[in-house]
């Protein structure tokens, strides 16, 4: 990453095996328990799907780049008219745990890029916390959390 480009990187360890974490990320029925309201299909390499979020009335097109079972998922989505690449990697850890790292890249280091960096860093940290709460405790932290954002 050059100083001209901004990149988001967040991580959390989840006390669940890699296979369970992977399924929670690629299966829209499971994702709807912590991240999206609805997804059109399961994530698979080079597949185009769509996501709906509970707080927005829009459908977000997702271009899945690559899915590596129990290892990684990457996709492109549109952020303010620009495609950004999201990479989610899974690394097995001790005691049947998984380190989940979410990276989103890149934006130009300007005012719009800094706004993106702030908002999406918060978003990916929230994604990871919600994923952890769902998998470890069966809790949907996102439910009602962003109702204030509805127009």
């Amino acid at each position: 990453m050059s100083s001209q480009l901004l990149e988001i990187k967040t991580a959390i360890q989840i006390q669940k095996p890699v296979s369970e974490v992977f399924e929670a990320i690629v299966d829209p029925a499971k994702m709807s328990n912590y991240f999206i309201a609805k997804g059109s299909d399961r994530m698979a390499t080079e597949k185009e799907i769509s996501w709906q979020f509970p707080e927005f009335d829009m459908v977000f097109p997702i271009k899945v780049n690559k899915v590596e079972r129990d290892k990684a998922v990457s996709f492109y989505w549109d952020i303010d008219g620009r495609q950004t690449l999201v990479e989610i990697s899974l690394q097995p850890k001790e005691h049947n745990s998984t380190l989940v790292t979410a990276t989103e890249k890149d934006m130009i280091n300007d005012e719009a890029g800094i706004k993106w960096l702030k908002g999406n860093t918060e978003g990916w940290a929230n994604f990871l916390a919600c994923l952890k709460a769902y998998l470890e405790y069966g809790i949907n932290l996102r439910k009602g959390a962003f109702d204030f954002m509805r127009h």
Side-chain angles (χ1 to χ4, degrees):
M1 180 177 82
S2 78
S3 61
Q4 299 301 312
L5 296 176
L6 301 171
E7 177 180 296
I8 295 166
K9 188 170 189 175
T10 57
I12 201 166
Q13 187 164 311
I14 297 176
Q15 308 305 303
K16 291 292 179 180
V18 170
S19 60
E20 196 171 330
V21 176
F22 176 81
E23 281 301 314
I25 293 169
V26 299
D27 181 348
K30 291 182 178 163
M31 279 185 103
S32 69
N33 290 301
Y34 70 92
F35 187 51
I36 59 175
K38 184 177 164 185
S40 64
D41 206 348
R42 184 179 173 85
M43 295 180 87
T45 298
E46 297 184 4
K47 189 176 223 176
E48 292 192 20
I49 61 172
S50 61
W51 288 341
Q52 288 179 282
F53 290 87
E55 61 274 11
F56 302 112
D57 292 328
M58 304 162 43
V59 174
F60 293 84
I62 305 298
K63 294 178 184 174
V64 181
N65 183 46
K66 190 172 184 183
V67 174
E68 296 177 76
R69 185 165 212 39
D70 297 343
K71 291 183 180 174
V73 174
S74 64
F75 61 89
Y76 291 92
W77 64 355
D78 186 271
I79 303 295
D80 297 325
R82 181 174 176 170
Q83 293 283 309
T84 61
L85 175 64
V86 175
E87 298 171 323
I88 301 172
S89 66
L90 308 174
Q91 181 181 1
K93 291 299 203 182
E94 290 184 314
H95 309 293
N96 228 4
S97 295
T98 304
L99 176 62
V100 184
T101 303
T103 305
E104 185 172 3
K105 47 186 155 181
D106 343 84
M107 284 285 188
I108 295 170
N109 189 354
D110 60 11
E111 190 174 328
I114 291 168
K115 181 181 176 189
W116 164 83
L117 183 73
K118 178 184 177 292
N120 283 28
T121 299
E122 289 173 0
W124 287 113
N126 181 267
F127 167 85
L128 292 174
C130 290
L131 175 61
K132 182 175 179 70
Y134 165 64
L135 287 175
E136 291 184 13
Y137 304 101
I139 298 168
N140 185 344
L141 290 179
R142 195 170 176 106
K143 186 175 183 179
F146 299 102
D147 286 354
F148 69 94
M149 295 175 72
R150 288 181 173 255
H151 301 298

